[in-house]
Amino acid sequence: MTPPDFEYLRKLFKDHSGLDLSADKQYLIESRLLPLARKCGLAGIPDLVAKIRSGSSQHIVQAVEAMTTNETFFFRDKVPFDHFRDTIMPELLKARAARRAVRIWCAAGSTGQEPYSLAMYLKEMSAALVGWRVEIIATDLSQEVLEKSKAGIYSQFEVQRGLPIQMLVKYFKQSGEFWQINPELRAMVQHRQLNLLHDFSQLGSFDVVFCRNVLIYFDQDTKINVFNRLARLMDTDGFLVLGAAETVVGLTDTFKPVADRRGLYRPSGLRAAGAVTPRLAALAAGH
């Protein structure tokens, strides 16, 4: 890959997805795009770049998706899901007792392991949620991974990574070499294609936002912008869950860490200019 092509692709990925690749990441671009070039019937990356430079929207989308599709597995890192079961949901069951509704957003839902892990924990606590409306919205930049998530079909390798055997038996049905998550759990997750660089206020307000292992690829200004916009969708008793290598500390005052709960944050009530909480907006509208 020539230096001009590399710089062109770096700018393309940042503009389209927020992916901020340092100058030493040429190997990463090559490892992700070479298989794509071959899949498209092209000789190599230079031919793929030529297609992209010509304005081929199809090749642009495919290249961006190839670069932004990240690894995921069931109950990844375990701790955030323990927080969800042991801290987040017990607190929300009290705080939302009047309206009996909880909305959860997986902002980088990928192939579905994260939202379905949450769905399984919610099923485990179903006795406490009788009469409640619980929504899980899973979004991702890539339509391809969202389609896999909707299908809920996973290989033996994928279900062996992080998924307790008792949950596999309880919530999945085997079909040949693959396992499909039960229709009841698939119905608990709504899927929408979404780019975090774009406006996401149309999704409405949320009580819990899982935004894990995606902002780590953004530059500082983009991270701050996303955090500030997330805060506008949440009341101060909501929860933000970040990846192990991610933090709001030193970036924004719109969220504050939860003591003794690694990766867990709450809106601080301090909003970026012009921001209005969902609750205040409802009061202003007379609801």
Side-chain angles (χ1 to χ4, degrees), residues 13-14 16-21 68 70 107-108 141 195-198 200 211 213-227 229 246 251:
F13 295 138
K14 184 169 184 179
H16 283 264
S17 69
L19 186 63
D20 189 29
L21 294 169
T68 55
N70 300 309
L141 176 65
N195 188 331
L196 286 174
L197 297 187
H198 301 160
F200 45 68
C211 188
N213 307 308
V214 57
L215 297 182
I216 193 171
Y217 300 106
F218 293 0
D219 65 25
Q220 183 166 309
D221 289 343
T222 306
K223 288 178 186 176
I224 293 168
N225 178 268
V226 172
F227 283 136
R229 289 187 291 129
E246 298 165 322
L251 291 175

Side-chain angles (χ1 to χ4, degrees), residues 121-262:
Y121 267 172
L122 288 168
K123 289 299 287 184
E124 294 291 300
M125 59 182 78
S126 58
L129 290 168
V130 172
W132 283 64
R133 176 181 174 82
V134 182
E135 291 181 82
I136 304 174
I137 313 294
T139 66
D140 201 277
L141 176 65
S142 168
Q143 186 62 43
E144 184 177 350
V145 300
L146 287 173
E147 291 301 327
K148 172 162 181 173
S149 181
K150 286 179 189 177
I153 298 173
Y154 301 96
S155 67
Q156 186 70 38
F157 173 73
E158 288 171 317
V159 297
Q160 285 176 333
R161 299 187 72 198
L163 183 64
I165 185 65
Q166 64 270 26
M167 287 196 168
L168 175 63
V169 172
K170 190 172 183 179
Y171 295 118
F172 289 75
K173 181 179 179 181
Q174 189 169 14
S175 177
E177 299 178 8
F178 295 90
W179 295 80
Q180 184 169 33
I181 199 159
N182 292 348
E184 191 177 3
L185 267 81
R186 295 205 307 276
M188 292 174 65
V189 180
Q190 303 173 44
H191 295 86
R192 300 184 195 174
Q193 186 176 23
L194 183 126
N195 188 331
L196 286 174
L197 297 187
H198 301 160
D199 176 36
F200 45 68
S201 60
Q202 76 279 4
L203 294 176
S205 60
F206 290 95
D207 304 293
V208 187
V209 175
F210 272 65
C211 188
R212 303 175 61 229
N213 307 308
V214 57
L215 297 182
I216 193 171
Y217 300 106
F218 293 0
D219 65 25
Q220 183 166 309
D221 289 343
T222 306
K223 288 178 186 176
I224 293 168
N225 178 268
V226 172
F227 283 136
N228 290 342
R229 289 187 291 129
L230 284 173
R232 297 174 199 175
L233 304 186
M234 306 175 72
D235 288 316
T236 53
D237 57 356
F239 292 91
L240 171 67
V241 186
L242 297 179
E246 298 165 322
T247 184
V248 303
V249 177
L251 291 175
T252 178
D253 294 326
T254 53
F255 287 94
K256 58 187 178 185
V258 177
D260 303 319
R261 295 291 184 270
R262 179 169 59 84

